[in-house]
Amino acid sequence: MQISKTSLKNNAELSFITDFLKAHTQRVFLVGGSVRDLLLGLEIDDYDIEIYDLSVLEFENLMQKLGAKGFGKSFFVYKFKNYDLALARKENKISQGHRGFEIQPCENEKEGAKRRDFTFNALMLNLFNFELLDFYGGIKDLENKTLRHIHEKSFKEDSLRVLRALYFVAKFNFDISDETLNLMKTMDISDLSLHRINAEFYKLFKGEYLLKAYKYLQKLNLEQKIFGQNFKDEKFPFLLENARKFVKDEGLFLYLYLNHFKINKKLFFEKTQFKKSFLRAVNQAYFEEDISDFDLAKISMQMPLKSWLGLWNEERIERAKKLKLYENKFQSKISSKKLIEQGFKGKNLGLELKRLKEEELKAYLKGLV
């Protein structure tokens, strides 16, 4: 794995930061996920910058001059455009919760990197000489697609890291090392708010490798802890893995999970407090086995079939295209206004409207033959 020094030298956004800081320090590092993604060949839009050799006062004065906005100022972190700029620091857990850390400036790169979660997130790239620092074997773990914690004590101090691990699994198809998995099994996430738990799941749900993340969720007994369920089912993993090949929507996991296992959706959302857009997703029509052309067409009255979460295999996709309902929803010509004029109202209006639209669909399908 290599990073192109030429592309870094020609990166105007990184040059802007080094030009701004060069009169004050030569130890400015690209860190964390920014370095990881560069090594994976991914484009980065946000830059995590860590700065050494400045006092707290000097750093804050420079951030004010830059026009950066402090967030979590006790953590020496500022935001400017698409940069997260932080004074190098070390952390010591002194009380419960994600704010229960004592923060001190740090001048030793290895010590500063030790506070991070996984080895590949401790990689540091000097933006002046492009030296890549790897104190904990991050490059090797990245090449082997392995999640490995750096320091047992500091890792256990932040229970959110358990959920971050699942997100990395879902996004990158990483495996969790045995020692890290065993450590995670000893960690209690009950100090985390639902807001923080859900924020990690929202990222996880976007991942391509949902099945692997789900298997780790079960190994860590978090399915029971967070969802209130613990299923042993041979069919669901197959369904989840194959559906993800065709449906990239973030609502897919919950759509399959709640409908396949016939979970009470109202109670589930009351417990998890997931956002309402997911509730709308799981309430889409669900057909696990065969589905008729008529039922496909009925779904298209609500949305183009390409937007339906149940369009999870090639056979369904091809049928949707043959029905000419893949790109656009079915446009009914039935008017409720005319029915009202005919004297229909209330429940009878709804029933008659439904009957006429279904007749319209049948006629449409017959005309395709």
Side-chain angles (χ1 to χ4, degrees):
M1 289 185 169
Q2 292 183 336
I3 297 174
S4 170
K5 292 183 179 180
T6 302
S7 64
L8 290 173
K9 289 178 181 178
N10 294 332
N11 186 308
E13 292 176 300
L14 292 178
S15 295
F16 170 80
I17 289 297
T18 53
D19 288 344
F20 179 75
L21 294 171
K22 64 184 178 182
H24 306 278
T25 177
Q26 293 291 301
R27 286 202 296 166
V28 177
F29 294 90
L30 192 67
V31 296
S34 299
V35 183
R36 177 199 68 220
D37 290 352
L38 278 176
L39 285 167
L40 289 173
L42 304 174
E43 291 188 12
I44 58 172
D45 299 315
D46 298 303
Y47 299 91
D48 295 321
I49 309 291
E50 192 167 79
I51 302 166
Y52 287 77
D53 300 329
L54 296 177
S55 70
V56 173
L57 182 59
E58 289 172 328
F59 175 67
E60 291 181 345
N61 287 339
L62 280 172
M63 292 301 99
Q64 290 176 15
K65 182 179 179 181
L66 182 64
K69 181 180 180 181
F71 65 102
K73 287 187 66 177
S74 61
F75 289 78
F76 317 128
V77 180
Y78 281 77
K79 182 81 175 179
F80 176 72
K81 295 184 178 179
N82 56 337
Y83 309 95
D84 285 346
L85 300 127
L87 194 62
R89 65 191 189 272
K90 53 185 177 181
E91 301 172 349
N92 182 41
K93 186 77 168 178
I94 56 174
S95 63
Q96 285 193 334
H98 70 283
R99 297 182 182 275
F101 288 91
E102 179 184 55
I103 309 299
Q104 295 178 334
C106 177
E107 291 304 325
N108 181 279
E109 292 99 334
K110 185 175 182 179
E111 185 69 19
K114 189 173 74 172
R115 69 179 177 81
R116 298 191 177 275
D117 48 11
F118 302 105
T119 57
F120 54 72
N121 282 336
L123 295 166
M124 306 173 65
L125 180 70
N126 189 303
L127 293 180
F128 285 100
N129 60 20
F130 303 116
E131 179 185 10
L132 184 62
L133 303 182
D134 180 12
F135 299 110
Y136 302 104
I139 292 178
K140 182 179 179 181
D141 283 338
L142 201 57
E143 290 174 339
N144 293 331
K145 304 181 77 172
T146 300
L147 280 163
R148 192 186 315 278
H149 68 280
I150 296 169
H151 186 262
E152 181 174 323
K153 180 178 180 295
S154 62
F155 187 87
K156 289 187 69 172
E157 288 175 344
D158 186 356
S159 57
L160 190 68
R161 289 170 169 177
V162 174
L163 301 181
R164 279 176 56 80
L166 297 180
Y167 159 62
F168 288 133
V169 169
K171 183 175 182 179
F172 296 114
N173 196 25
F174 287 165
D175 294 301
I176 303 174
S177 69
D178 290 341
E179 61 267 34
T180 298
L181 184 62
N182 288 333
L183 178 61
M184 289 166 60
K185 287 178 179 178
T186 70
M187 295 171 64
D188 183 6
I189 66 165
S190 60
D191 64 318
L192 299 175
S193 68
L194 278 178
H195 173 75
R196 300 198 82 214
I197 290 172
N198 291 352
E200 293 303 314
F201 271 98
Y202 296 156
K203 294 188 289 185
L204 186 157
F205 291 152
K206 295 177 182 179
E208 182 176 353
Y209 304 99
L210 291 176
L211 175 57
K212 180 176 280 191
Y214 176 63
K215 287 181 176 179
Y216 278 119
L217 189 79
Q218 291 189 312
K219 288 179 181 179
L220 292 164
N221 199 34
L222 291 178
E223 182 182 23
Q224 177 68 47
K225 175 76 174 179
I226 298 172
F227 294 165
Q229 318 285 338
N230 189 16
F231 293 108
K232 301 296 182 185
D233 180 90
E234 294 182 358
K235 189 172 183 180
F236 181 71
F238 176 82
L239 177 65
L240 179 59
E241 183 173 33
N242 284 277
R244 194 43 148 186
K245 296 174 184 176
F246 299 93
V247 182
K248 304 306 178 185
D249 191 278
E250 64 180 351
L252 178 68
F253 178 86
L254 291 178
Y255 171 73
L256 296 176
Y257 187 76
L258 271 68
N259 285 294
H260 175 79
F261 291 118
K262 298 179 173 59
I263 297 170
N264 184 305
K265 295 167 186 173
K266 182 177 183 293
L267 293 179
F268 180 87
F269 275 82
E270 286 177 356
K271 175 179 174 56
T272 62
Q273 294 182 27
F274 284 135
K275 57 188 178 183
K276 291 182 179 179
S277 60
F278 286 119
L279 180 58
R280 291 193 292 271
V282 302
N283 281 326
Q284 287 186 18
Y286 185 82
F287 293 84
E288 192 159 307
E289 304 300 335
D290 295 336
I291 179 172
S292 67
D293 286 348
F294 178 70
D295 284 324
L296 272 175
K298 280 181 68 176
I299 294 167
S300 77
M301 298 183 79
Q302 305 299 320
M303 68 191 78
L305 288 178
K306 68 178 182 180
S307 301
W308 177 47
L309 296 178
L311 209 69
W312 62 48
N313 59 38
E314 290 182 354
E315 189 269 340
R316 289 185 177 187
I317 292 171
E318 288 305 311
R319 285 172 62 201
K321 290 179 178 178
K322 286 181 180 179
L323 294 175
K324 300 179 181 179
L325 299 171
Y326 179 76
E327 293 286 349
N328 300 295
K329 61 187 292 188
F330 180 82
Q331 299 296 328
S332 175
K333 296 178 181 177
I334 305 299
S335 170
S336 58
K337 183 180 179 180
K338 289 184 178 179
L339 293 177
I340 293 172
E341 291 173 352
Q342 294 172 20
F344 287 96
K345 59 183 177 179
K347 182 179 179 180
N348 289 333
L349 173 63
L351 290 173
E352 183 64 7
L353 194 61
K354 180 175 181 288
R355 185 188 71 79
L356 290 175
K357 286 187 175 181
E358 289 183 355
E359 290 297 323
E360 184 184 30
L361 277 181
K362 291 175 183 178
Y364 171 80
L365 293 174
K366 188 175 180 180
L368 293 175
V369 178

